[in-house]
Amino acid sequence: MMDTILANVNQKRLEQAADLLKQGKLVAFPTETVYGLGADATNDEAVASIFEAKGRPQFNPLIAHISDIEWIYDFVEVSPCAKKIAEAFWPAPLTLVMNRTSNCKISLLVSAGLDTVAVRFPRHSVAQQMIRLLGKPVAAPSANISGTVSPTTAEHVFQGLSGRISMILNDGPCAVGVESTVLDVRTDQPVLLRAGGLAVEEIEAKTGVKILFPDKDPELPRSPGQLLSHYAPKLQVRLNVIEPEEGEAFLGFGSVKNATLNLSEKGDLKEAASHLFAYMRLLDKTEYKRIAVSPIPMNDLGLAINDRLKRAAYPH
Ligand code: AMP
Ligand code: MG
């Protein structure tokens, strides 16, 4: 067991975090989606220790986080479509999968054996400052033990990973609350690999690009990391519930009655996304026999929320 520093963010702590990353250590840091578990993405051993700390059963590919759009040209082949979408949205809860360049310095472990690497420029200023101080991309999955609910506060990270990582930078709860949207942008026909914190509708409206869904076309590429059971609380989860049964905790949405907790009484999908993981953790600590969840609409961030709920409900 190592000592884990849990600290509120200030300039000194940011510099300490960047120094630890330079030494190949692991630092958990806030982003607008969820807390990330960061390592220097160009250091193979540091990246390997991410998998060890999380107890990840296999080497799923990781996202490389950057703090300047220009960095991508050093690491990946940027298609016209990738450039258009990156420039329209970054920094944002949006991850773009592109082909590695032949001299790409990002660890092959980040790509988990693929020819591609997933890159994100996060919007959170703490993440940006930390990456800028390191001066290199930071590989980071969510800062939780593999298979458990993603962390949206520094306390969540501490509960799962204290003793396993060097530092946790605390900057309060994450604003978006679900992971990034992942798009394969190798061609001018981008493919949705994971629904997430930036709505597909918004990407299509701003860029005029049509996004393809692998669910609807078996020929399209899929993401290797999308496990059926994931984000799993200990309690079983039952979805699309109108009337909860005796003994069930009721995770409501909109104007439902008798909710144990309500993701958003106003029926606002953004607010619901930001509460999702924290509320699942709270209910998971109770004596209820199961978590019953209201139906969530399948538009905008509802796509990401339903995706996470489906995985949480998968028998495990
Ligand atoms: P996480 O960092 O845990 O939020 O998850 C990262 C996810 O991004 C992975 O589980 C994959 O689904 C996806 N991903 C990362 N890198 C790639 C890649 N090179 N190709 C396809 N999907 C990727
Ligand atoms: Mg994760």
Side-chain angles (χ1 to χ4, degrees):
M1 293 286 270
M2 64 176 86
D3 284 333
T4 300
I5 304 162
L6 171 60
N8 292 332
V9 174
N10 58 35
Q11 187 58 31
K12 215 179 104 236
R13 292 302 192 178
L14 277 167
E15 283 164 16
Q16 187 180 13
D19 279 342
L20 287 165
L21 291 171
K22 275 177 202 156
Q23 295 164 34
K25 304 273 171 48
L26 302 184
V27 175
F29 63 101
T31 82
E32 70 276 26
T33 59
V34 302
Y35 274 72
L37 179 58
D40 175 350
T42 64
N43 178 335
D44 292 326
E45 272 179 53
V47 175
S49 63
I50 291 179
F51 294 97
E52 189 182 41
K54 282 183 63 97
R56 261 206 191 191
Q58 67 276 69
F59 290 153
N60 284 335
L62 304 176
I63 296 169
H65 294 74
I66 58 172
S67 60
D68 186 332
I69 286 198
E70 295 302 312
W71 287 14
I72 51 176
Y73 298 95
D74 291 341
F75 304 113
V76 285
E77 310 284 353
V78 184
S79 68
C81 170
K83 184 170 190 302
K84 185 176 190 179
I85 296 177
E87 285 175 357
F89 289 100
W90 273 355
L94 172 67
T95 297
L96 301 177
V97 172
M98 294 168 272
N99 282 318
R100 298 172 64 99
T101 52
S102 53
N103 61 349
C104 177
K105 296 268 183 341
I106 293 176
S107 168
L108 282 164
L109 209 43
V110 172
S111 299
L114 302 169
D115 301 328
T116 53
V117 59
V119 186
R120 180 160 94 90
F121 181 178
R123 191 182 288 156
H124 200 295
S125 79
V126 171
Q128 290 182 6
Q129 289 173 72
M130 189 191 77
I131 299 163
R132 207 166 288 135
L133 283 169
L134 177 67
K136 293 182 200 177
V138 169
S142 50
N144 55 323
I145 296 284
S146 189
T148 64
V149 178
S150 289
T152 53
T153 66
E155 290 74 30
H156 295 159
V157 180
F158 190 82
Q159 284 159 21
L161 295 177
S162 69
R164 293 167 168 256
I165 64 177
S166 295
M167 189 176 192
I168 303 166
L169 282 175
N170 175 25
D171 194 47
C174 303
V176 175
V178 290
E179 295 85 348
S180 57
T181 301
V182 182
L183 288 185
D184 179 334
V185 288
R186 287 175 294 172
T187 70
D188 54 12
Q189 290 270 280
V191 178
L192 181 73
L193 297 180
R194 175 173 78 183
L198 184 66
V200 166
E201 290 93 328
E202 208 178 316
I203 303 171
E204 291 187 332
K206 191 159 173 190
T207 59
V209 172
K210 179 100 189 79
I211 293 173
L212 304 177
F213 289 75
D215 286 354
K216 297 182 187 147
D217 182 350
E219 300 290 307
L220 291 174
R222 273 154 206 275
S223 180
Q226 299 294 68
L227 303 175
L228 278 175
S229 167
H230 201 57
Y231 312 100
K234 292 189 196 74
L235 290 181
Q236 290 292 323
V237 177
R238 193 161 75 87
L239 302 181
N240 298 318
V241 173
I242 308 292
E243 270 303 322
E245 289 171 11
E246 183 81 24
E248 282 182 334
F250 189 29
L251 184 57
F253 177 80
S255 58
V256 299
K257 294 205 175 63
N258 305 327
T260 318
L261 288 171
N262 196 319
L263 289 168
S264 170
E265 283 178 16
K266 301 192 289 250
D268 176 350
L269 289 165
K270 273 207 166 114
E271 183 181 23
S274 75
H275 290 151
L276 178 67
F277 292 143
Y279 285 6
M280 291 225 277
R281 279 169 183 266
L282 281 174
L283 295 179
D284 210 22
K285 287 195 193 119
T286 61
E287 298 296 312
Y288 291 100
K289 66 171 186 189
R290 201 161 41 224
I291 302 173
V293 190
S294 283
I296 312 284
M298 270 301 266
N299 59 299
D300 288 313
L301 292 199
L303 217 62
I305 297 172
N306 278 298
D307 171 81
R308 305 308 184 270
L309 284 171
K310 200 172 77 196
R311 286 173 221 286
Y314 196 79
H316 58 274

